Amino acid sequence: SLVLMEVSPPPSGLEAEYETLFTADSLLFLYELISTFDEEVDKVLWLRVSRKSHLDLSGDLPGFQGHTTHIRRDPAWRVLPVPPRLQRRHVDIGDLAPCNTQRFIKALQSPAQGIQVDFDDGNCPTFSNQITGIYNVLKAVRHQLPNVPHISQAPVLMLRPRAWNMVEHNMMVEGKEAPGPLFDFGLLMFHCGKTLFENKSGPFLYLSKVESFMEARLWNKIFVWTQQKLGLPLGSIKATVLIENVLAAFEMEEILYELKDHSAGLNCGIWDYSASFVNKFGHRQAFLLPDRSKYVNMEKRFLRSYMELLVQTCHRRGALATGGMAALLLPQDQLHESYRRVLATVTRLKLLEIRAGVDGFMVYDLSLIEPMQKLFQLHTDGDNQLHQLRDDVTVTPDDLLSMPSGGVTLYGLKYNITVGVLFINAWLSGKGLFFYRGQVEDSATAEISRSQVWQWIRHQIQLEDDSRVVSRRLVTELTEEVIKELSTLCPSVRAKQSLHTAADMFLEVVLKRDFPEFITTYLNQDHTFLSSQTTGQVEALNENKLCPKL
């Protein structure tokens, strides 16, 4: 007889959580979900490869698509209005990996409107982390976490499953590893969907790394199927799509159209989106992205146009538009000059988004929630800015594709190397983010960092400082320098070894002839990462708290 499904045994210490999540009924639901949509997941991934090949072979640039003009030209259609709890989305907490139980509880006690419950960018998808995270969501929804408001009163949970490119190694369905997003989505929906709906608090989702309206169409099919299976009314599930890819920026209306009944709007963020230019066009000289630490910010034409087009598109269709995440951390001492400086910087950047018409955005630091909510109260009226139609905006393909001018600094190159190495190091210790120089870094900043280093080597860019060429040799030397500096902060021999391993892996990624599409896929498939989960390295995490002093 065929083996329909295999699940790895529970990680040690998580037996009870595992039993709660993997019941006979939930496994049957997961089996049906995954076997129904498995082939279509492959198809959207093949479609990506085929589009990329077409662009590479033809040298064409993306544009607004001809065969969907009728959707963009039809002024009549709207997305369904979102439920009351989503009408006011001013400040969400971003990048919150729910396996971090303490932070999850603090977030639930906070005055934020929502929490991005993150199985994607800010999360390292070890089996332990997925089980702990999903179990914590279940406990929050069932009101079983200590001192946390009832789910109908707590900040609303915006569940972010992994993106299409990720697989779950610990589950095989009909002889194939399960798609990561279906594993996360299936368990969350099966255990929490109905309760969230009954409490008028969901199920609400964030969908990462969507590249085309065909992918939105697949998600919509999955929602329809799931609602029927679980006995939820059509349109119960609401999803915010993150526009993190340059190709998706040309299909925003179509994406909203595909998800009409299930849309909670679109979101724009800076680093994954910028990195997608390198992913799609990085080998073309015309798409050289200059030093992000000096020349790339939301005020640049290509990013400002993208944000304004997103707001205009959403509001024209009755959908909410949300901005990116403030990654800066407020210093502890409120009287210190640095506290005022950080707050002023975040305020300036977020005011830019509010003036562009966004309905909300994210912060990482919980201390930023209230100051940012005040900012909304001062500069907007009402729950959202849906009335800001931005008819003054006209965005052309040229606007979206114009790279900012500028070069590369030694500082920027070293900064990118450091972020890339430290991100891989965090993953090797089972963490999806880390803190460096007063801000939080996650897979989005790691993505732009390693993309830039790869691209600068590829185009042999000269440094502004001393005209040295960014070459394999220079990057290798600088990586060694970075390791020396960071090693002094390592508490143990094991932490030092891990850092060296991370540096080797980083160099591997940036020196490849062909650009690896996602750093997370690359790591998730990598022998070193997979074996680090089984050899007890994860038990040694506690001594590998690399350097809180960073």
Side-chain angles (χ1 to χ4, degrees), residues 399-438:
D399 292 323
L400 292 172
L401 297 171
S402 67
M403 291 290 91
S405 52
V408 175
T409 65
L410 181 63
Y411 170 85
L413 178 56
K414 266 187 88 167
Y415 186 76
N416 278 343
I417 290 171
T418 308
V419 169
V421 170
L422 286 176
F423 177 73
I424 295 172
N425 186 68
W427 258 58
L428 291 176
S429 67
K431 297 210 164 40
L433 44 74
F434 62 95
F435 305 104
Y436 180 61
R437 299 204 174 165

Side-chain angles (χ1 to χ4, degrees), residues 209-275:
K209 311 204 172 26
V210 168
E211 293 193 12
S212 79
F213 72 87
M214 295 300 286
E215 298 181 18
R217 179 177 294 176
L218 173 54
W219 270 118
N220 200 67
K221 271 187 178 175
I222 290 168
F223 295 165
V224 171
W225 182 92
T226 302
Q227 287 163 161
Q228 285 170 341
K229 275 277 170 206
L230 297 177
L232 291 168
L234 188 77
S236 308
I237 297 175
K238 297 290 181 194
T240 300
V241 174
L242 293 109
I243 303 294
E244 299 176 292
N245 191 284
V246 53
L247 302 183
F250 289 93
E251 299 184 24
M252 293 196 270
E253 294 222 46
E254 293 87 331
I255 287 168
L256 284 177
Y257 184 78
E258 292 296 337
L259 284 159
K260 278 207 298 285
D261 298 341
H262 299 107
S263 178
L266 304 177
N267 171 282
C268 63
I270 179 170
W271 295 130
D272 269 316
Y273 183 73
S274 299

Side-chain angles (χ1 to χ4, degrees), residues 93-97 116 118 121-122 160 325 362 364 433 440 442:
I93 298 163
D95 259 15
L96 201 152
Q116 182 185 57
D118 195 7
D121 280 10
R160 174 154 79 158
M325 183 181 78
M362 287 173 272
Y364 181 82
L433 44 74
V440 66
D442 65 1

